[in-house]
Amino acid sequence: MTRFRRVIDEGAIWVLAAPLSIWAAHFLLCYWVAAIWCAKGWDEAVRMRTVHAGLTLAALAVIASLAGLARRRYRGELRVDEAIEGDSDADRNRFLGHVALMLAALAALAVVMTFLPTLVFRQC
Amino acid sequence: MTWTDRLAPPPQPDPAAREAEKQRLIATWKNREGIARLTEVNNTTVGLWYTAASIFFFAFAGVLALMIRAQLAVPDNDLMTAHFYNQLFTLHGTAMMFLFAVPIFEAVAILLLPGILGTRELPFPRLSSFSFWCFITGGVFVCGSLFFNAAPAAGWFMYTPMSSDPRLTGIGTDIWLLGLSFIEVASLAASVELITGVLKCRAPGMRLNMLPLYGWYVLVVALMIVFAFPPLIAGDLLLELERAFDWAFFDPTRGGDPLLWQHLFWIFGHPEVYIVFLPSIALVATMLPAFARRPIVGHSWIVLSAVGVAFLSFGLWVHHMFTVGLPEISLAFFSAASEAVAIPTGIQIFCFIATIWMGRVVRGLPMLFVSGALAIFVFGGLTGVMVAVVPFDAQVHDSHFVVAHLHYTLIGGALFPLFAGLCYWYPLVTERMLSDRAGRWSFWLMFIGFNVTFLPMHWTGILGMPRRVWTYSADAGWSTLNMVSSVGSFAIGAGFLVLLVEMLRPRRAPAKAPRDPWKAPGLEWVGALPSEDYGLRSIPLVTTRYPLWEQPDLPREVEDAEWFLADAPEGRREMIVTDVLDGQPIYVQRVPAPSWLTVGAAVALGASFIVATWHLWMLAGVSMAAFIALLIAWLWTGTARPPEAASKDVGRGLRLPVYASGDGSCGWWAMFITMSGDLTAYLGLVFAFFFFWTLHDPFPPAGAGLPQAGWLALSAVLLAAAWGAVWGALRVNRAGGRIAAQWLLVAAVPASMLGVAAMAQALMIAGLDPTRHAWDATCWVLVLWIGVHVGIGALMVFYCVAGISFGKLTPRWDADLGNVTLYWHFLALSSAITLALLGLFPVLGIAT
């Protein structure tokens, strides 16, 4: 993909959108699994909670690797007060890495929050 | 060594040459006079009209609210009939949401964004103008229906099955569906413009880490519109098909389900709340540094929360449907997401509070409105956390508690910041200051009036008063609280009137606002007052996040024409298109001048939607044809014309191309964004398909006709061939084979049309009848979607063939063909999904 190198590799644009896209995918899959399992009565074959736990672990793993990428590739740091307004490629990268890293943290939290209900509800 | 190091020093001062340059800029950008002023496309003019029109609709919807409160002031009131009351609350919600809250975001963004980003224009000025005229046509149509006792009356969310049955709801529902679909087109057009603007049209040097927060918010919100509005358009399409042609989508006796509408509506409707809220927060984030006299605390945290809210807000839609009987586990997911969204929302508010805390706050009218906004919004946010809890929501659902909650969030989160913004940017637009005294009166009337109106509604709601009731009995015990609410509502009205009069009253004294009256850091204040129609005298290089604070010499440099595009020697309106990441200049875009074509296109498109309300299909077809003709004329004369020279000097020794095609050009981005929205609407239809699959066991239902596999296979081959031909034409043309490219393009048209015909034949042979069952209707609507898109694709292809013939499209200047190929990529994807659903899914579905 050399054509889109600017936004895919050199800049962290996609890493910005990725963590919460994983949350969105996880959320929709959890909802669909619940809707389909409840509508079709598939719980006897495979337990719904097992599927949800698997989805959650997979989502968290991908988000963790994205966070690692934001840290390593773009030098993102999880600091509270960071202005990062310098006029250089490195500053722009560090800024996007910083935002991407925090978005990964938010996404991980939101994924865990989505999973919590499956610990409470045993049936549809 | 970066591109900025290679720039030449500023030119030697030469007053005569500079004055000549200035006169050329003035002549090029001058607003049209007289009646031709209506054709103006300049963002400051269109933005101002857009803002004024949105505020007009706000005032209209506000009057409806006062009438609602008048009816509810006393028990057993018969001031108006129940039917008229239904029209009032439906139109109040509809107008506030679709004709005020969303358009005002676009209006303010069109007006301010180029200034804040340090450019002269948005990339597609005619699109802004088109969007405005669509908006005004649709808005007048929908609101005007009230005067003929024909306004929509089924609630602003238009729930089925009441709205899907023409015997229960009259023409008002059609007006709502078609009028609003049309306004949604306007919103999408503006969003495409704004996204491309933020990404590609910034001041040179403005890297992403220097992009003002307003830019981030506009980007995020416009993207949300692109993904949130299309599901509603899909829903509108299904509902109108059921109303006009009796297709079975929402009728349970024929396999449909009313809940499908609620899903599609709220997949739009909840992000909508944040689409309304975030732009106002953006205004606060822009104003706050000026009043706190310091940079915003946690700039990147605010970016994080804007992006976070944008995503999470799409996971909340079912919290409007907690009481419809979905599985409890599903409700719990949405409850969790509804609580999660409070995290990024809260981060923004904490950043604002921290900025105020750590700064040296100076007083000012805008700041007063901002403080009021924060107070009211936090209150509304807290009740939001309450109603996000399923058991609590089940108690207060559809009661006045919800009315109170939503008004606290929307008025606190959206309206008060907007009024703050009106006060703040008023001097920029009118070169006058608002009276502090009138502003304070207005604020306190509205702030007190608001709380007197809506605080008691929490109690009336808890006491059991439902929403949308025409009247109530004195025994219910709600009388006093309702009277208090009604009194308060008129105080809000009075407060707004004070502000409006102060803004509009004629003044005898000459304009006297100083440049940058708030000592703000934003680029929109860089220009001298009185301003000229061209905006900035020269387009500056930006190297800081708060340019007016950190580059103090900038206003002089801009005014002395030391930077880019200080001249318009060819007499063309121009702007610099920049790189997404670092704001490095890429090329000069010639933006089109004013034209009647855009106004005509908007009115013709509006007419086709309006006459379709009365099912006058012939007339609708004629209007649509007129729209297409005007649109083609607009594009042909105004876009992607081959330039007179390949590149030009924009100042400081920087030479830039004046044409771009493929993914470097703004047009390609606009097509990509538009088609992402289009694909989302299509996925709304796919959602309907799977929704019915979960509903029916088996799906397709037993005994249903299955699309015939042979015809579907033929359709797949033909559509793939057409797609390949268009793609091939792009490559062949680029290699210089103009005639071969034309033949490939021409061949794509019959291939794709026959492909759709084969798809339809597959359904007809199987006897699928859209009025019989939801399965049949869903299959047909998928085919219909592809058919319409193939038709549009064919028009585009002919446009390119003509372009090659007349030398508009050449092997070197081929932007049109690049954009059309992108369209066909999206068409190929949706065709493939449709064929898989029609052909493969039934086989698999029966197997399970």
Side-chain angles (χ1 to χ4, degrees):
Chain A
M1 290 298 282
T2 50
R3 271 177 74 201
F4 297 105
R5 202 164 39 93
R6 281 293 283 161
V7 277
I8 289 180
D9 187 37
E10 285 176 23
I13 297 276
W14 74 273
V15 191
L16 224 53
L20 282 165
S21 302
I22 300 297
W23 166 82
H26 172 261
F27 180 81
L28 278 180
L29 285 171
C30 284
Y31 167 65
W32 285 339
V33 163
I36 292 167
W37 255 249
C38 291
K40 306 271 174 187
W42 287 353
D43 213 36
E44 286 121 48
V46 186
R47 280 188 49 208
M48 189 161 75
R49 187 186 290 178
T50 317
V51 183
H52 278 141
L55 286 172
T56 303
L57 286 177
L60 287 176
V62 179
I63 290 171
S65 68
L66 287 168
L69 191 72
R71 262 190 86 78
R72 283 190 317 276
R73 179 77 177 74
Y74 303 105
R75 306 257 161 264
E77 286 178 54
L78 209 55
R79 279 170 48 184
V80 174
D81 192 17
E82 268 221 290
I84 324 182
E85 47 187 332
D87 179 22
S88 71
D89 287 5
D91 276 301
R92 181 251 299 150
N93 260 340
R94 232 156 45 80
F95 170 77
L96 292 175
H98 184 214
V99 177
L101 194 60
M102 292 191 299
L103 279 171
L106 176 66
L109 187 65
V111 163
V112 171
M113 282 178 85
T114 306
F115 176 66
L116 289 179
T118 59
L119 297 178
V120 179
F121 291 92
R122 288 182 179 280
Q123 73 277 328
C124 299
Chain B
M1 190 160 159
T2 62
W3 69 276
T4 48
D5 301 327
R6 287 191 289 272
L7 291 176
Q12 290 301 315
D14 175 357
R18 202 169 281 164
E19 186 55 30
E21 283 177 358
K22 186 172 175 178
Q23 290 309 322
R24 281 193 291 271
L25 272 182
I26 289 177
T28 304
W29 289 87
K30 192 165 176 43
N31 272 340
R32 298 289 188 266
E33 305 283 344
I35 185 84
R37 193 162 166 81
L38 295 180
T39 66
E40 192 48 63
V41 294
N42 197 337
N43 77 289
T44 43
T45 312
V46 173
L48 195 60
W49 292 347
Y50 223 134
T51 310
S54 309
I55 291 177
F56 168 78
F57 286 122
F58 167 76
F60 175 79
V63 170
L64 302 187
L66 294 182
M67 290 164 77
I68 292 173
R69 284 316 318 171
Q71 167 66 22
L72 292 181
V74 289
D76 301 310
N77 198 354
D78 59 357
L79 182 65
M80 53 194 75
T81 63
H83 180 62
F84 187 68
Y85 182 82
N86 291 346
Q87 296 180 48
L88 285 183
F89 70 70
T90 301
L91 208 52
H92 167 72
T94 302
M96 282 295 188
M97 279 299 190
F98 292 97
L99 302 178
F100 170 65
V102 176
I104 194 82
F105 151 65
E106 285 152 357
V108 172
I110 288 173
L111 183 63
L112 293 179
L113 189 68
I116 289 178
L117 297 181
T119 67
R120 286 209 182 105
E121 245 311 350
L122 286 164
F124 313 109
R126 284 191 183 174
L127 196 61
S128 309
S129 153
F130 175 75
S131 168
F132 169 73
W133 290 106
C134 285
F135 163 62
I136 203 90
T137 314
V140 168
F141 173 59
V142 173
C143 290
S145 61
L146 185 68
F147 299 102
F148 300 91
N149 200 26
W156 86 279
F157 31 58
M158 214 37 72
Y159 275 174
T160 52
M162 186 163 125
S163 62
S164 56
D165 189 340
R167 284 164 305 174
L168 292 177
T169 47
I171 194 149
T173 304
D174 298 303
I175 290 173
W176 190 93
L177 286 169
L178 291 162
L180 291 185
S181 297
F182 178 59
I183 291 165
E184 285 150 21
V185 172
S187 296
L188 286 168
S191 304
V192 170
E193 166 97 314
L194 295 172
I195 295 168
T196 318
V198 175
L199 291 177
K200 303 289 290 179
C201 305
R202 309 201 291 263
M206 191 185 272
R207 296 170 185 273
L208 276 184
N209 59 329
M210 295 170 201
L211 176 64
L213 287 172
Y214 188 72
W216 280 105
Y217 276 107
V218 167
L219 177 65
V220 160
V221 173
L223 279 168
M224 288 173 74
I225 290 179
V226 167
F227 292 106
F229 274 48
L232 179 61
I233 294 178
D236 287 350
L237 173 69
L238 301 185
L239 186 45
E240 192 54 39
L241 282 173
E242 173 147 341
R243 283 180 63 87
F245 305 108
D246 197 30
W247 289 26
F249 292 108
F250 306 106
D251 178 0
T253 61
R254 292 182 286 162
D257 190 342
L259 275 191
L260 173 62
W261 170 260
Q262 293 200 20
H263 279 292
L264 289 173
F265 185 86
W266 289 115
I267 290 173
F268 145 79
H270 204 84
E272 158 86 354
V273 173
Y274 288 89
I275 289 169
V276 169
F277 161 66
L278 290 179
S280 291
I281 289 300
L283 298 181
V284 174
T286 312
M287 289 182 276
L288 215 44
F291 290 97
R293 293 276 181 270
R294 61 153 293 139
I296 204 109
V297 175
H299 181 97
S300 38
W301 287 82
I302 294 185
V303 175
L304 142 95
S305 56
V307 179
V309 168
F311 274 89
L312 294 176
S313 67
F314 278 83
L316 313 182
W317 83 85
V318 165
H319 79 206
H320 297 266
M321 302 165 60
F322 276 165
T323 57
V324 302
L326 294 177
E328 279 176 2
I329 180 109
S330 304
L331 299 186
F333 290 139
F334 286 91
S335 182
S338 306
E339 304 289 1
V341 81
I343 298 170
T345 312
I347 288 175
Q348 301 168 87
I349 304 296
F350 281 120
C351 286
F352 294 157
I353 293 172
T355 308
I356 295 173
W357 201 322
M358 295 170 71
R360 290 170 290 117
V361 177
V362 290
R363 294 154 71 99
L365 196 50
M367 201 54 201
L368 189 62
F369 276 101
V370 167
S371 332
L374 289 177
I376 295 175
F377 177 74
V378 167
F379 194 107
L382 291 176
T383 52
V385 174
M386 290 161 77
V387 289
V389 178
V390 178
F392 183 84
D393 183 74
Q395 294 300 314
V396 297
H397 177 77
D398 248 346
S399 77
H400 266 71
F401 187 91
V402 176
V403 179
H405 158 70
L406 75 92
H407 283 91
Y408 264 85
T409 51
L410 289 177
I411 292 182
L415 196 64
F416 271 68
L418 195 75
F419 286 149
L422 285 179
C423 300
Y424 181 83
W425 279 288
Y426 188 80
L428 183 72
V429 176
T430 64
E431 291 151 30
R432 294 169 192 281
M433 303 294 286
L434 283 177
S435 145
D436 221 40
R437 193 154 145 258
R440 278 173 199 284
W441 264 100
S442 161
F443 170 78
W444 286 110
L445 274 172
M446 282 198 274
F447 185 79
I448 295 169
F450 169 81
N451 284 295
V452 171
T453 309
F454 291 103
L455 197 62
M457 285 189 198
H458 293 99
W459 280 278
T460 37
I462 295 281
L463 290 173
M465 179 168 170
R467 295 168 76 173
R468 294 182 290 266
V469 285
W470 164 57
T471 191
Y472 53 90
S473 150
D475 310 335
W478 310 328
S479 311
T480 315
L481 290 168
N482 269 298
M483 178 50 97
V484 171
S485 284
S486 294
V487 170
S489 69
F490 281 87
I492 305 178
F496 174 69
L497 207 59
V498 170
L499 192 64
L500 199 65
V501 168
E502 170 59 21
M503 284 187 174
L504 299 181
R505 78 186 162 89
R507 291 170 171 80
R508 250 179 260 134
K512 58 168 189 216
R515 195 187 65 78
D516 195 3
W518 316 106
K519 308 273 176 294
L523 268 180
E524 74 272 29
W525 301 101
V526 79
L529 292 180
S531 60
E532 296 285 352
D533 291 337
Y534 56 68
L536 294 176
R537 179 67 182 83
S538 62
I539 307 298
L541 176 73
V542 172
T543 54
T544 57
R545 190 179 280 166
Y546 295 98
L548 291 200
W549 287 352
E550 294 165 291
Q551 294 171 257
D553 213 23
L554 208 57
R556 186 198 60 74
E557 292 171 15
V558 167
E559 223 39 53
D560 285 352
E562 289 190 2
W563 289 105
F564 307 112
L565 286 185
D567 194 2
E570 301 93 355
R572 305 280 300 272
R573 297 186 180 189
E574 291 171 329
M575 59 187 295
I576 296 179
V577 175
T578 51
D579 165 63
V580 174
L581 291 177
D582 293 324
Q584 185 173 342
I586 300 177
Y587 74 102
V588 173
Q589 164 134 326
R590 263 81 189 265
V591 294
S595 164
W596 283 106
L597 291 169
T598 37
V599 183
V603 172
L605 184 62
S608 73
F609 275 87
I610 289 169
V611 296
T613 312
W614 284 278
H615 299 180
L616 303 171
W617 305 121
M618 269 307 274
L619 217 51
V622 171
S623 305
M624 187 55 90
F627 163 67
I628 290 169
L630 288 163
L631 182 66
I632 289 175
W634 155 12
L635 295 174
W636 186 271
T637 54
T639 61
R641 306 291 306 179
E644 72 289 341
S647 62
K648 71 172 281 180
D649 188 352
V650 296
R652 306 294 284 261
L654 183 65
R655 256 201 113 67
L656 292 177
V658 289
Y659 190 99
S661 60
D663 56 87
S665 73
C666 284
W668 188 92
W669 285 78
M671 178 63 88
F672 186 84
I673 298 160
T674 310
M675 293 314 293
S676 302
D678 181 83
L679 186 68
T680 312
Y682 171 76
L683 291 178
L685 304 181
V686 174
F687 173 86
F689 188 97
F690 282 96
F691 179 79
F692 288 129
W693 175 62
T694 58
L695 197 67
H696 297 285
D697 203 12
F699 186 77
L706 298 184
Q708 213 259 345
W711 284 105
L712 288 179
L714 178 66
S715 166
V717 170
L718 286 167
L719 285 169
W723 172 46
V726 174
W727 201 352
L730 175 71
R731 287 166 177 271
V732 169
N733 178 60
R734 224 166 249 179
R738 297 174 54 190
I739 305 296
Q742 280 181 312
W743 278 111
L744 279 170
L745 288 171
V746 168
V749 173
S752 56
M753 298 225 162
L754 288 172
V756 174
M759 216 188 265
Q761 177 68 5
L763 267 57
M764 264 185 294
I765 283 194
L768 267 73
D769 171 9
T771 61
R772 193 185 66 86
H773 191 273
W775 156 254
D776 307 46
T778 314
C779 289
W780 271 111
V781 81
L782 289 170
V783 174
L784 180 72
W785 187 267
I786 301 298
V788 169
H789 281 72
V790 161
I792 298 170
L795 278 176
M796 291 183 178
V797 163
F798 280 130
Y799 181 83
C800 289
V801 172
I804 295 176
S805 296
F806 292 96
K808 178 181 185 292
L809 202 165
T810 69
R812 186 168 178 202
W813 315 118
D814 69 341
D816 288 333
L817 191 48
N819 299 347
V820 167
T821 309
L822 182 62
Y823 173 91
W824 277 80
H825 290 335
F826 277 91
L827 177 54
L829 178 63
S830 42
S831 301
I833 297 174
T834 299
L835 287 166
L837 289 178
L838 297 180
L840 301 179
F841 187 84
V843 183
L844 303 172
I846 285 169
T848 53

